[in-house]
Amino acid sequence: MKRLFVVAAMSAAVSSVHAEGYAGAILALTRLDIPCEASVPCDRKANGGRIYFGSRLSDASRIDLGVGAIDAVEFGYMKLGTAKTVGTTTTYVFDPDDQTIVTPVTVPTTARTQSDALTIAAVMHFPVTTNLSFAARAGAAYVTTTVKRTQDGLSSGSRSESHLRPYVGLGVEFDIPQWVKVVGTFDATQFEVNGKKGSAQLMGLGLEKAF
């Protein structure tokens, strides 16, 4: 499934009759809204990032909407970081000399939820000045999420799932002529694993270069 998504994304970009290509990299703060009980320590924030490759549409292919235009197609990868919950669980230990005696033992447990995504999106730009513009992205994300659990420092299992989810993004771009664009972005999608769903957000700053 993931390979099919990659092929479809790249095919869409190539077939868009591009006038110019570009690539960018974003360093970001991320948040995974994993479900947490009030009494359980939960760290939803992490560090992540996004890399992307885009294709500007030719004048004949772009869609002008008056205040802005859909003028590019992007393919990217988002690293959405790792969220963590810490708690305890109770296990029962049999007495080696008398199997009828059972002692409850409380041990620390940790669950780490890690997520990343492949994305494809149409991009709309809203020019403000010659060098400054806002951007909006809308498309799909193939999101892979893995939950790893440890109990008393030892692995107690993991589960990984991948799902196709909607993807949206907002950004601001400042063009430094003959050099690069400085970009700030907010991106959002969703994840699901083991029947539990949540939202994932990424907010960061980076650079973009045309080629």
Side-chain angles (χ1 to χ4, degrees):
M1 179 64 182
K2 182 178 287 189
R3 290 181 180 178
L4 290 176
F5 184 85
V6 173
V7 171
M10 295 182 70
S11 297
V14 171
S15 63
S16 62
V17 192
H18 78 280
E20 181 184 82
Y22 62 92
I26 305 290
L27 292 178
L29 299 176
T30 64
R31 178 182 173 90
L32 291 176
D33 285 326
I34 56 175
C36 295
E37 298 178 6
S39 59
V40 176
C42 183
D43 185 4
R44 293 185 171 99
K45 297 179 181 179
N47 296 318
R50 181 166 73 92
I51 57 173
Y52 58 95
F53 303 91
S55 174
R56 305 283 184 195
L57 301 180
S58 66
D59 291 340
S61 300
R62 58 184 285 164
I63 303 174
D64 196 335
L65 301 177
V67 295
I70 300 175
D71 58 2
V73 176
E74 278 184 10
F75 171 68
Y77 167 77
M78 293 194 298
K79 184 173 179 60
L80 295 164
T82 302
K84 182 175 69 173
T85 58
V86 178
T88 59
T89 189
T90 300
T91 62
Y92 296 89
V93 179
F94 288 96
D95 189 306
D97 299 322
D98 187 346
Q99 294 294 307
T100 63
I101 301 176
V102 180
T103 303
V105 177
T106 300
V107 296
T109 60
T110 301
R112 289 180 170 83
T113 302
Q114 187 273 329
S115 194
D116 57 19
L118 296 171
T119 62
I120 183 171
V123 186
M124 177 184 289
H125 284 95
F126 304 88
V128 179
T129 67
T130 302
N131 297 334
L132 180 67
S133 65
F134 292 106
R137 296 171 176 82
Y142 187 70
V143 186
T144 299
T145 305
T146 302
V147 177
K148 296 182 180 180
R149 294 181 172 84
T150 60
Q151 182 173 299
D152 200 19
L154 301 175
S155 175
S156 60
S158 66
R159 184 182 180 90
S160 183
E161 294 183 16
S162 297
H163 298 275
L164 194 62
R165 291 291 182 261
Y167 159 69
V168 294
L170 296 173
V172 59
E173 304 176 356
F174 184 76
D175 188 16
I176 303 175
Q178 309 301 319
W179 191 42
V180 295
K181 279 186 178 180
V182 179
V183 297
T185 66
F186 173 81
D187 301 273
T189 186
Q190 301 170 338
F191 67 92
E192 178 180 350
V193 62
N194 202 25
K196 297 180 179 180
K197 301 178 182 180
S199 61
Q201 300 100 34
L202 180 152
M203 183 169 62
L205 187 67
L207 300 175
E208 178 182 304
K209 179 68 174 177
F211 56 84

